[in-house]
Amino acid sequence: MAAHAHRLDGIGSTIFAEMSALAARTGAVNLGQGFPDTDGPPAMLEAAVAALRGGRNQYPPGHGTPELVDAVVAHQRRHYGLELDRSQVVATTGATEAIAGALLGLVDPGDEVVVLEPYYDSYVAMIQIAGGVRRPVTLRAPDFRLDLDELAAAITERTRLILLNTPHNPTGAVLTRAELEGVAALAMEHDLVVVADEVYEHLTFGVEHVPLATLPGMFERTVTISSAGKSFSVTGWKIGWASGPAELVAAVEGAKNWLSFASGAPLQPAVALALNEHDEFHERLAADLRAQRDLLCSGLAELGMTVYRPDGTYFATTDVSAFGYDDGRAFCLALPERAGVVAIPSQVFYDDTEEGRHLVRWAFCKRPQVIEEGLARLAAVPLEA
Ligand code: PMP
Ligand code: GLN
């Protein structure tokens, strides 16, 4: 008897959990899983405590606590000039549930989903669980730019949606306005929905993040996803949201209602407060991350890796071919024992495993002293196979 349904065939556990467990077991410095090691705005934490003590502990509305929904509406207006109403936002259990809701709510079995490769691992799992077929379009080193001809070639008459991610995990690429205009033109030409995962919307370093939904004609066909985890450094709270036209948001919510229904009652008003009153937090966080990026990237380059310096996110990618391992996975599995550091092999984010074979992702959403400790450990031992 098979232990699981076929919809889970080939879907392992997430590489992030696997590598964090390895870090915990070996006492390694964890430059793998992307979570910050400093807290979000103190007023937000206090608001959560107050909500918890103030009786906000029963089911919130599945659609989202009104304060949070209103705060997302205000955020989209203030930052991007988008005018939404409450029916155009749904709160979710992290961006992860918004992604799941979008794919389950919008993709029929056999529908094709065009996705940027390297991809975030939950996309692959949820496309498969929804019965969809993924069509990756590869972002290639050194710049990880989006090739619009390759995107056009990936679209067929079975394509239902494009699953976009900018700023992009794991490469740190931030799609340019020209690239996004190309995506928009193709989406309109082929009448496609775009799910735009923009969880790193505030984490860019001197380049502009352009929300796809702000391009002419695109709001009507875009589901935009974000998360307090990234914007306010509370990844464990799992408060996310999707926004877009009411019919598309209703489809996300239609699936989400049967996943968690609702979650995070005392956390939702706290995130609402942060969204309304703590824009300055994003700027500080992005400035800190930029300095941490530079620290990490310079240190890794000194160790002999080819470093692809990112314009956004928590992550930098390096090529480790110089060290003679068969692939980045072998390098990453040896690293905790050898050097006491954990990183993520990017190969697992590719269908075209050759393309990602020697790429390794390092997280810099860690305090400078943690990054320095990681670099010192790497410098103290030979890294060759
Ligand atoms: N999308 C991307 C691109 C991510 O990197 C992550 C996780 N960090 C998520 C979605 C999931 O976000 P959440 O933790 O809010 O579920
Ligand atoms: N998004 C985080 C990363 O890319 C991890 C999320 C997770 O552990 N599922 O590292």
Side-chain angles (χ1 to χ4, degrees), residues 12-257:
S13 69
T14 122
I15 186 75
F16 308 116
E18 189 188 325
M19 297 310 283
S20 280
L22 187 59
R25 209 162 55 237
T26 57
V29 174
N30 191 353
L31 302 181
Q33 193 176 30
F35 60 89
D37 56 2
T38 45
D39 267 333
M44 176 186 73
L45 305 180
E46 288 310 318
V49 172
L52 205 116
R53 292 187 199 259
R56 309 262 328 239
N57 298 308
Q58 310 309 327
Y59 300 126
H63 187 67
T65 298
E67 296 106 296
L68 177 60
V69 171
D70 287 346
V72 172
V73 167
H75 174 276
Q76 297 304 91
R77 181 187 306 123
R78 191 167 70 249
H79 288 274
Y80 307 130
L82 291 169
E83 290 294 338
L84 309 180
D85 64 43
R86 284 178 170 176
S87 71
Q88 295 174 317
V89 176
V90 61
T92 54
T93 305
T96 304
E97 193 187 46
I99 293 161
L103 291 168
L104 292 172
L106 295 167
V107 172
D108 276 318
D111 285 352
E112 294 181 0
V113 177
V114 174
V115 59
L116 305 184
E117 166 181 285
Y119 31 64
Y120 183 56
D121 64 351
S122 89
Y123 301 167
V124 171
M126 287 314 306
I127 291 168
Q128 178 171 324
I129 288 170
V133 177
R134 70 175 176 276
R135 294 279 173 227
V137 173
T138 307
L139 307 180
R140 293 193 169 77
D143 295 330
F144 302 109
R145 293 328 320 170
L146 174 58
D147 182 325
L148 292 170
D149 293 332
E150 287 191 35
L151 180 63
I155 296 171
T156 73
E157 68 279 7
R158 308 216 58 179
T159 307
R160 165 67 170 142
L161 63 81
I162 300 174
L163 175 47
L164 208 69
N165 172 215
T166 183
H168 181 259
N169 178 8
T171 66
V174 180
L175 295 185
T176 62
R177 188 174 285 278
E179 286 167 324
L180 292 164
E181 283 169 353
V183 174
L186 287 167
M188 288 188 275
E189 181 188 337
H190 296 278
D191 194 23
L192 306 177
V193 169
V194 185
V195 175
D197 178 345
E198 300 183 1
V199 295
Y200 298 100
E201 62 184 321
H202 293 297
L203 309 185
T204 59
F205 318 129
V207 302
E208 178 192 30
H209 163 66
V210 180
L212 186 71
T214 61
L215 298 189
M218 286 311 289
F219 178 78
E220 292 80 346
R221 56 180 69 249
T222 303
V223 174
T224 303
I225 292 173
S226 194
S227 171
K230 303 293 141 61
S231 293
F232 295 110
S233 297
V234 281
T235 60
W237 282 18
K238 299 297 278 187
I239 302 294
W241 50 89
S243 63
E247 326 77 79
L248 293 181
V249 167
V252 175
E253 191 170 341
K256 169 244 146 89
N257 276 335

